[in-house]
Amino acid sequence: MEKMNVRKIVLVFADAFIVLLSGVLTSFILSFFYFWTNPMLGYSRQSLIIYMCINMLMCFFSLYVFGAYNKLWRYFDAKDYLSCVLGMLVGNGITVILANAFNAQPQWQYIIISLFIGTAGIILFRYIFRKTFLTIAVDGKKYQKQRTMIIGAGKACHMILNEIKSSVNDPKNPAHKYEPVCIVDDDPDKQGTSIMGIPIRGTTNEIAKWCRKEAVDTIILAIPSLDDKDRKRILDMASETSCKIKIIPYLTQMLTDGDGNSQIMSQAQDIRIEDLLGREPVRFDSKDVKEFITGKVCMVTGGGGSIGSELVRQICKYSPKQIIIVDIYENNAYEIQQELYMDYGKDNVNLVTLIASVRDYDKMNLIFKTYRPNIVFHAAAHKHVPLMETVPEEAVKNNVFGTFNCATLAEYYDVEKFVMISTDKAVNPTNVMGATKRCCEMIIQYMAQNYTKTDFVTTRFGNVLGSNGSVIPLFRRQIETGKPVTVTHPDIIRYFMTIPEAVSLVLQAGAMAHGGEIFVLDMGEPVKIVTLAENLIRMYGKVPYQDVEIKFTGLRPGEKLYEELLMNEEGLEETANKKIFIGTQIVIEPEKFLGELQELKEAALSNDSELTLKLLSEIVPTFHHKLNEGGSAKEQEEEHEREEKKKESAKKK
């Protein structure tokens, strides 16, 4: 018999008392109903005491065999209550058999009533104390260790358990706060075994079940070699629980000392939303990028923004001759400037930070003339879809003509390569921002087709996690402040990538470019925004729709249900990198295009919103702005279904 702790001993004594009390109550009840006959129903007080003692011992033995003491009352569920019923039935049955040997057999009425009262009492006792204990536990939870499930019974699991064991007397150790209670692993040979006394309960498909049964607070994913597909599958199941989730990093990311040892729990990371994208991180050939950047003067417009600042960070790694940050917002520009000075030292990085607008042709001309950049990364743009719907002329001034200014100056000052950053919203745009970015793509293609000194290239990708305007920072603020998470539509989907991936694409595209290409990243399957919101809520240890409300606010002006990465007429061309494709160029008629741009510029400068929209629609024939008025969601769903059917038909042919 396993050694019992104090609380289990209390439970045993409580059960013994309940069984004895049930015998006394039964005797009293029967004496009351049979007061006109023998109150002892044909058996002596001594026989009754003998029977009650035997029953108490046999019920304890039977309850133990059926597992009624395997768990504390706080973790009892329906199955465990059933074990109490079976234990009492068998215990009373054994008692009846033994009682005959001592000639202490009572009437059948006594046996049935005492069994019912005893079973009901034992179940009720556990239920009441479970409720009471959970209330106390919640109030004092911050003082308790975190009951922990480890996913994976391999080497990392052994390291974690050893580290937790050695941290018992070291409160400063990150592993000190964890209390392992179970392990899950998909290896059938490991099922039913244990590691350092911690049982392997089941497979990864049973994560939610064992989290519930073992009252798990924290899940640690301890399979550093896991591929991304299985990692997403496991994290999806783990995120359906209300547990906190920690991830042991990839083997290549783990830090070890000279002997190959490490404090693994200090490297355990919180689950990141990008872990749920369901695809491998896109990696590029740094050798090509190094040759592209090293020793060059690199200008980044919008260099203080989320994409621009990451561009500057990554460019710094490849020893450029000089970096020029151009941004209209001084706070962001200052932050990235100070970050680079801290990381590299002010004397070790040749950095120029300039506050200027790409709209200002004369100022940009002065910058190009002074610094003579070899490479220009054009990231400056107004990107917030709803805001640009209200002032389309401002989107045109900044996005379209800011791009035109920079591109023409790049050609004039013999820039080697000009890389313009676009978006999937430029494909069949339904909003002003997307339409202006499509117009920017056309400007880059026009420059590539009519000039030869500079290689002009466009990079196009989807939504960037964590960027300014991304839904993730908004969702986090809403969850942390206790407000409902707002999603525009339950069916809205988006392609996602991380900021480092987006910037790596930009750099790789620049290295590969010969002029005129639109580089597109294979971003895997699109993700439902509502699923993203639900997973993020679970990552905070909360339950969607219960702890945190999700409100559907309706599509915003200009917002699409579905994003596309390529226009129908572009097609795809593979590159040496299997994750990067090139959209073929669309021929631009120079005279017509320049004439249309001039009209658009005059309309925007006159602040005529209606005329600006009309002329923008003429330049970008795929711009369907009215699609988002009235029943837009239904129309988009129907249109999406038609497009999917066309694609399926084309595949079959």
Side-chain angles (χ1 to χ4, degrees):
M1 183 182 294
E2 65 178 356
K3 186 177 179 180
M4 294 186 181
N5 59 33
V6 174
R7 287 176 289 182
K8 288 186 178 180
I9 292 173
V10 170
L11 189 59
V12 170
F13 277 103
D15 287 349
F17 176 76
I18 290 169
V19 172
L20 288 174
L21 183 62
S22 68
V24 174
L25 287 175
T26 302
S27 179
F28 174 78
I29 292 169
L30 291 177
S31 295
F32 177 77
F33 283 102
Y34 291 90
F35 61 89
W36 58 87
T37 63
N38 181 359
M40 299 309 292
L41 293 174
Y43 55 89
S44 66
R45 190 181 301 274
Q46 183 180 1
S47 297
L48 178 62
I49 293 173
I50 292 173
Y51 181 88
M52 290 169 60
C53 291
I54 294 173
N55 194 38
M56 179 186 68
L57 293 172
M58 291 303 102
C59 285
F60 162 70
F61 174 76
S62 183
L63 286 168
Y64 175 78
V65 170
F66 279 94
Y69 302 112
N70 288 346
K71 285 188 179 179
L72 302 178
W73 47 70
R74 65 176 293 191
Y75 305 125
F76 261 58
D77 56 21
K79 183 180 177 182
D80 298 301
Y81 288 121
L82 180 60
S83 71
C84 293
V85 175
L86 293 174
M88 288 296 290
L89 281 171
V90 174
N92 275 266
I94 296 172
T95 301
V96 170
I97 295 171
L98 293 177
N100 283 325
F102 292 94
N103 196 25
Q105 176 67 45
Q107 298 291 332
W108 64 268
Q109 295 96 326
Y110 180 91
I111 296 171
I112 293 174
I113 295 173
S114 65
L115 171 61
F116 176 79
I117 294 175
T119 304
I122 284 174
I123 291 175
L124 185 62
F125 177 82
R126 281 162 170 74
Y127 178 80
I128 292 172
F129 267 80
R130 179 180 179 275
K131 289 290 185 182
T132 305
F133 202 99
L134 286 177
T135 302
I136 296 171
V138 169
D139 292 339
K141 192 169 184 179
K142 61 183 178 180
Y143 304 108
Q144 297 176 1
K145 288 193 174 185
Q146 298 175 22
R147 293 177 62 83
T148 303
M149 168 189 285
I150 300 174
I151 301 176
K155 185 177 180 180
C157 176
H158 284 267
M159 293 171 68
I160 290 170
L161 293 176
N162 276 319
E163 191 171 336
I164 292 173
K165 183 179 179 181
S166 64
S167 71
V168 172
N169 299 316
D170 182 11
K172 294 182 180 180
N173 191 314
H176 179 75
K177 61 184 177 181
Y178 299 103
E179 179 187 354
V181 294
C182 67
I183 302 167
V184 296
D185 195 284
D186 288 331
D187 187 346
D189 294 334
K190 295 179 180 178
Q191 300 304 313
T193 63
S194 64
I195 300 176
M196 296 177 64
I198 309 301
I200 299 176
R201 292 295 195 189
T203 66
T204 54
N205 291 326
E206 300 175 304
I207 289 173
K209 167 188 170 183
W210 287 107
C211 281
R212 185 175 62 254
K213 290 180 73 68
E214 295 290 348
V216 171
D217 301 309
T218 301
I219 297 172
I220 299 176
L221 177 54
I223 315 177
S225 59
L226 198 64
D227 63 50
D228 288 272
K229 183 178 179 181
D230 283 334
R231 177 172 289 224
K232 180 182 183 298
R233 176 182 65 82
I234 291 172
L235 288 177
D236 281 345
M237 288 186 288
S239 65
E240 290 177 2
T241 70
S242 59
C243 302
K244 294 179 182 178
I245 303 171
K246 293 281 186 180
I247 304 174
I248 301 304
Y250 289 99
L251 286 172
T252 54
Q253 298 173 320
M254 289 181 65
L255 304 176
T256 60
D257 58 30
D259 298 323
N261 298 316
S262 67
Q263 277 201 336
I264 193 169
M265 289 307 298
S266 64
Q267 301 180 57
Q269 306 165 347
D270 289 330
I271 183 175
R272 303 167 301 168
I273 198 70
E274 51 262 39
D275 290 318
L276 301 171
L277 292 184
R279 60 172 172 81
E280 295 181 6
V282 179
R283 296 179 176 85
F284 300 95
D285 187 353
S286 59
K287 182 181 178 182
D288 290 344
V289 175
K290 185 175 182 180
E291 292 176 359
F292 172 49
I293 296 295
T294 302
K296 305 288 180 64
V297 178
C298 300
M299 176 190 290
V300 182
T301 68
S306 49
I307 299 297
S309 61
E310 180 64 21
L311 262 169
V312 172
R313 290 184 193 96
Q314 293 198 25
I315 289 170
C316 269
K317 296 177 183 178
Y318 298 106
S319 304
K321 181 179 179 181
Q322 188 177 48
I323 301 176
I324 302 145
I325 297 174
V326 178
D327 203 295
I328 190 60
Y329 185 41
E330 71 275 16
N331 289 354
N332 282 350
Y334 176 78
E335 285 180 9
I336 185 62
Q337 178 197 58
Q338 295 305 306
E339 179 186 325
L340 294 179
Y341 285 160
M342 288 177 62
D343 290 345
Y344 293 92
K346 194 170 183 178
D347 297 330
N348 297 324
V349 57
N350 189 353
L351 179 66
V352 178
T353 306
L354 303 171
I355 305 303
S357 171
V358 292
R359 297 185 185 192
D360 188 339
Y361 180 87
D362 292 334
K363 180 65 176 179
M364 294 306 299
N365 180 47
L366 180 61
I367 292 171
F368 272 86
K369 182 179 179 180
T370 303
Y371 296 99
R372 300 284 177 155
N374 304 113
I375 305 167
V376 174
F377 297 96
H378 181 53
H382 287 326
K383 302 183 184 75
H384 289 266
V385 170
L387 293 180
M388 295 304 101
E389 290 299 297
T390 60
V391 281
E393 63 275 14
E394 296 304 312
V396 167
K397 291 175 191 176
N398 195 70
N399 295 0
V400 175
F401 294 103
T403 298
F404 191 80
N405 289 342
C406 292
T408 53
L409 287 168
E411 172 66 21
Y412 183 79
Y413 286 102
D414 297 333
V415 169
E416 294 176 18
K417 291 190 179 183
F418 184 95
V419 183
M420 199 275 290
I421 296 170
S422 188
T423 169
D424 55 359
K425 291 177 177 61
V427 184
N428 297 322
T430 59
N431 53 66
V432 171
M433 195 282 281
T436 57
K437 295 301 282 186
R438 177 56 188 155
C439 191
C440 293
E441 292 182 356
M442 295 171 72
I443 289 171
I444 298 305
Q445 290 187 327
Y446 159 77
M447 297 296 295
Q449 290 170 14
N450 292 278
Y451 300 95
T452 57
K453 288 187 293 185
T454 302
D455 291 334
F456 290 93
V457 59
T458 296
T459 58
R460 184 193 288 161
F461 42 78
N463 295 264
V464 180
L465 289 170
S467 66
N468 296 331
S470 167
V471 294
I472 302 303
L474 173 62
F475 288 169
R476 288 189 186 278
R477 287 196 300 271
Q478 290 172 332
I479 295 169
E480 289 167 0
T481 56
K483 296 178 180 178
V485 171
T486 54
V487 179
T488 57
H489 193 280
D491 295 324
I492 193 167
I493 61 173
R494 290 291 182 266
Y495 291 92
F496 281 100
M497 66 191 311
T498 65
I499 292 177
E501 281 181 318
V503 170
S504 295
L505 168 64
V506 173
L507 294 175
Q508 187 71 23
M512 297 167 63
H514 299 293
E517 303 98 330
I518 296 179
F519 286 91
V520 182
L521 177 67
D522 178 4
M523 299 174 66
E525 293 297 317
V527 178
K528 267 193 170 186
I529 299 297
V530 68
T531 303
L532 208 60
E534 290 168 351
N535 286 331
L536 190 60
I537 290 168
R538 293 187 183 106
M539 284 164 51
Y540 276 84
K542 300 179 184 294
V543 180
Y545 308 104
Q546 294 182 20
D547 301 328
V548 179
E549 183 182 358
I550 296 180
K551 279 189 175 180
F552 297 104
T553 57
L555 291 177
R556 299 173 297 180
E559 189 169 38
K560 296 170 72 173
L561 273 180
Y562 312 99
E563 299 291 5
E564 306 156 86
L565 292 180
L566 279 175
M567 298 181 70
N568 293 334
E569 64 266 30
E570 286 180 330
L572 279 178
E573 179 185 334
E574 293 184 350
T575 67
N577 190 307
K578 293 181 180 179
K579 290 290 184 179
I580 299 179
F581 298 87
I582 298 175
T584 56
Q585 293 191 40
I586 301 171
V587 177
I588 306 292
E589 298 179 22
E591 293 183 5
K592 179 185 176 185
F593 183 60
L594 290 177
E596 289 174 333
L597 283 180
Q598 183 59 37
E599 290 183 38
L600 180 64
K601 184 176 183 179
E602 292 172 1
L605 291 175
S606 66
N607 296 313
D608 188 334
S609 298
E610 188 175 338
L611 181 58
T612 299
L613 274 176
K614 179 177 178 296
L615 294 173
L616 186 60
S617 299
E618 291 177 1
I619 295 176
V620 183
T622 55
F623 178 29
H624 303 293
H625 191 251
K626 290 185 179 181
L627 183 63
N628 286 277
E629 298 176 2
S632 61
K634 184 177 179 181
E635 290 179 35
Q636 290 189 52
E637 287 172 350
E638 292 173 352
E639 178 66 24
H640 184 70
E641 287 177 5
R642 287 194 291 269
E643 290 299 324
E644 290 299 312
K645 288 179 181 178
K646 287 180 183 178
K647 290 177 183 177
E648 288 298 321
S649 298
K651 286 180 181 178
K652 289 178 181 178
K653 290 179 181 179

